[in-house]
Amino acid sequence: MDFTLNEEQIAIRDTCREFAEQEIKPRAEEMDATGKFPYALIHKMGEIGLLGLPFPEEYGGAGADFLSYCIAIEEISRGDVSVGVTMEAHTSLGAMPFYLFGNEQQKQRYLPPLAHGEQLWAFGLTESESGSDSGGAQTRAVLQDGHWRINGSKAFITNAGTDITGGVTIAAVTGTRPDRRNEISNIIVPKGTAGYIIGKSYKKMGWKASDTRPLAFEDCLVPAENILGQRGDGFKQFMHILDGGRVAIAALSVGLAQACLDEALSYAKQRKQFGQSISTFQAIQFKLADMATEIELARLMYYKAAWLHMQGKPFRREASMAKLFASETAKRAADQAVQIHGGYGFMDEYPVSRYWRSVKINEIGEGTSEIQRIIIAKELGC
Ligand SMILES: Cc1cc2nc3c(=O)[nH]c(=O)nc-3n(C[C@H](O)[C@H](O)[C@H](O)COP(=O)(O)OP(=O)(O)OC[C@H]3O[C@@H](n4cnc5c(N)ncnc54)[C@H](O)[C@@H]3O)c2cc1C
């Protein structure tokens, strides 16, 4: 088994690590305090190709492989998770559906501005009454006179309301299947469409500088051709999108866990109690050793899931395992990082306090830990 990264993967990792260290980390505290969306950073990331990493050059992408993209998410999230999730939601949830399921015309039209970072795109699946039960969407789209008439709402949609957002792809009920279950299709809704109402940003516990909004659709009309792929394929499409997204969220969690270890190790070496660095106490060393071990394992798990994906092999089980383990690893790492900082860890000026607040959502977004366990159990044959 060869765990060596190739030259391109190393180059992307190093570029992202340097960018996170020099451009993102110094602004992270301010972004958290103000909650302002980091337009300048996102613009720079677009310029260096980070917002279209896994898409072919013919659609404006960088042509990188899926593992390189995940490694990039890890490194950017090590700098700041608000920026990491903006990149992840834009790429895995916003742009990827066009690439995987769009027809050639849709790919040519929508992907290049997204891959260049000129626009962001959102994916609207969750509703106030259907979260984990993602097939229970109530938003309806009726085909009338060559247009979809959409009525309904969405909740918690990332990247939906920034100044550079191009639009959202939403899951909507478009009919009834022969087995009487809802027929779900994914429909492209450009920003500015009449009847598409973007709500105010939520006030959040973490990921403060990322954009999260409720959306409403009131007799919103989009052309019939705005359907993504085939009518009725919506559920199948977003299950596949979420599998890939979960590998990227695992990478994001590893980045945050690594940031916790970085801060905890450096603090432990310089903080003195009882006349010596606290890093000389075995109780502290064991916490650091456990953090490093779990991070290594979580990283290998997302590498394997990404590798399977790149080989065209089934990877749903490994994606859920990686997401589950990495998000829970990050939570334990954030907790121990605050513990190692003592009272200072509770103070806002120490990054670990921000990490502790931001880590919780990793166990919720793109499928909660309970849902990951259900998927894994199903894959085991339960
Ligand atoms: C900051 C943020 C960004 C987000 N971005 C997006 C986005 O861009 N696009 C999008 O579509 N959605 C997005 N979401 C929504 C997110 O995916 C959902 O919040 C998540 O899937 C959980 O749904 P819910 O919040 O409705 O919780 P619920 O489904 O109501 O779950 C509540 C609790 O019940 C548990 N539960 C539910 N069903 C079961 C079951 N069968 N067995 C056991 N336990 C169960 C859950 O695990 C959880 O603990 C975002 C959410 C947040 C907070």
Side-chain angles (χ1 to χ4, degrees):
M1 206 171 288
D2 185 1
F3 293 104
T4 323
L5 300 180
N6 65 31
E7 272 180 29
E8 187 186 54
Q9 290 159 345
I10 292 170
I12 288 175
R13 182 197 63 193
D14 293 350
T15 302
C16 291
R17 190 171 289 177
E18 198 182 311
F19 186 82
E21 199 57 44
Q22 291 179 2
E23 304 277 348
I24 301 178
K25 223 174 149 191
R27 295 176 174 86
E29 187 182 348
E30 192 194 337
M31 283 190 279
D32 183 65
T34 63
K36 284 195 181 141
F37 188 81
Y39 287 103
L41 274 178
I42 296 299
H43 179 72
K44 276 190 194 165
M45 286 167 68
E47 278 184 337
I48 58 172
L50 296 185
L51 297 178
L53 274 175
F55 307 115
E57 288 169 16
E58 60 180 304
Y59 300 121
D65 63 28
F66 187 71
L67 178 58
S68 300
Y69 159 62
C70 292
I71 292 171
I73 292 283
E74 178 189 333
E75 294 300 334
I76 295 296
S77 304
R78 189 174 175 180
D80 182 67
V81 272
S82 285
V83 180
V85 76
T86 300
M87 174 177 167
E88 190 277 336
H90 165 73
T91 312
S92 290
L93 305 183
M96 191 62 87
F98 289 116
Y99 178 56
L100 291 179
F101 309 114
N103 58 36
E104 193 51 37
Q105 208 183 355
Q106 288 166 343
K107 284 185 202 172
Q108 301 270 3
R109 173 169 172 194
Y110 292 105
L111 270 177
L114 302 184
H116 292 139
E118 290 153 19
Q119 280 188 353
L120 295 175
W121 202 273
F123 190 72
L125 177 58
T126 305
E127 300 185 1
S128 56
E129 301 302 320
S130 77
S132 300
D133 180 13
S134 50
Q138 296 294 310
T139 296
R140 294 203 160 259
V142 179
L143 195 55
Q144 284 175 345
D145 305 324
H147 283 79
W148 292 103
R149 183 181 290 277
I150 309 169
N151 280 288
S153 63
K154 295 286 167 187
F156 307 137
I157 307 306
T158 305
N159 287 338
T162 74
D163 296 349
I164 54 169
T165 297
V168 62
T169 306
I170 58 158
V173 178
T174 48
T176 309
R177 295 154 55 106
D179 61 3
R180 310 298 303 152
R181 289 165 65 190
N182 281 338
E183 174 197 88
I184 297 176
S185 307
N186 292 324
I187 298 178
I188 302 161
V189 185
K191 195 163 103 177
T193 305
Y196 169 30
I197 302 146
I198 300 171
K200 278 194 185 150
S201 260
Y202 294 96
K203 290 204 164 80
K204 306 190 291 288
M205 176 170 150
W207 282 8
K208 291 198 180 237
S210 99
D211 181 81
T212 324
R213 313 237 178 191
L215 308 176
F217 304 88
E218 294 176 3
D219 285 325
C220 170
L221 292 178
V222 297
E225 75 221 27
N226 279 25
I227 196 148
L228 189 72
Q230 298 299 314
R231 178 173 177 167
D233 275 357
F235 189 79
K236 205 167 60 184
Q237 289 176 356
F238 63 66
M239 283 297 138
H240 191 69
I241 291 162
L242 287 173
D243 285 340
R246 284 168 186 154
V247 186
I249 289 290
L252 178 146
S253 295
V254 171
L256 178 52
Q258 183 65 52
C260 292
L261 176 58
D262 297 343
E263 291 299 321
L265 180 60
S266 128
Y267 184 82
K269 282 183 178 165
Q270 58 86 17
R271 174 70 173 170
K272 287 197 168 53
Q273 287 295 286
F274 302 96
Q276 49 191 317
S277 292
I278 61 169
S279 65
T280 62
F281 302 140
Q282 201 175 49
I284 301 290
Q285 291 174 355
F286 281 11
K287 287 186 200 304
L288 294 165
D290 286 348
M291 284 160 84
T293 304
E294 287 197 26
I295 290 168
E296 187 66 12
L297 179 52
R299 184 176 287 122
L300 291 177
M301 288 176 84
Y302 93 68
Y303 277 22
K304 182 177 175 192
W307 179 81
L308 286 170
H309 187 21
M310 281 156 50
Q311 306 305 308
K313 296 192 161 122
F315 70 107
R316 172 160 296 165
R317 189 180 77 132
E318 287 75 9
S320 282
M321 285 175 166
K323 198 265 183 187
L324 173 65
F325 186 73
S327 58
E328 296 191 350
T329 290
K331 185 175 71 173
R332 286 187 287 272
D335 207 47
Q336 295 295 32
V338 171
Q339 193 68 18
I340 289 170
H341 279 67
Y344 292 103
F346 200 62
M347 300 298 132
D348 271 351
E349 67 255 44
Y350 283 81
V352 291
S353 119
R354 181 170 72 248
Y355 299 160
W356 196 88
R357 279 186 288 104
S358 278
V359 80
K360 184 63 202 166
I361 182 60
N362 295 7
E363 292 177 287
I364 295 170
E366 296 194 35
T368 63
S369 288
E370 289 79 4
I371 294 302
Q372 303 315 318
R373 288 185 167 92
I374 290 172
I375 295 170
I376 296 162
K378 208 179 264 178
E379 292 283 322
L380 291 174
C382 294

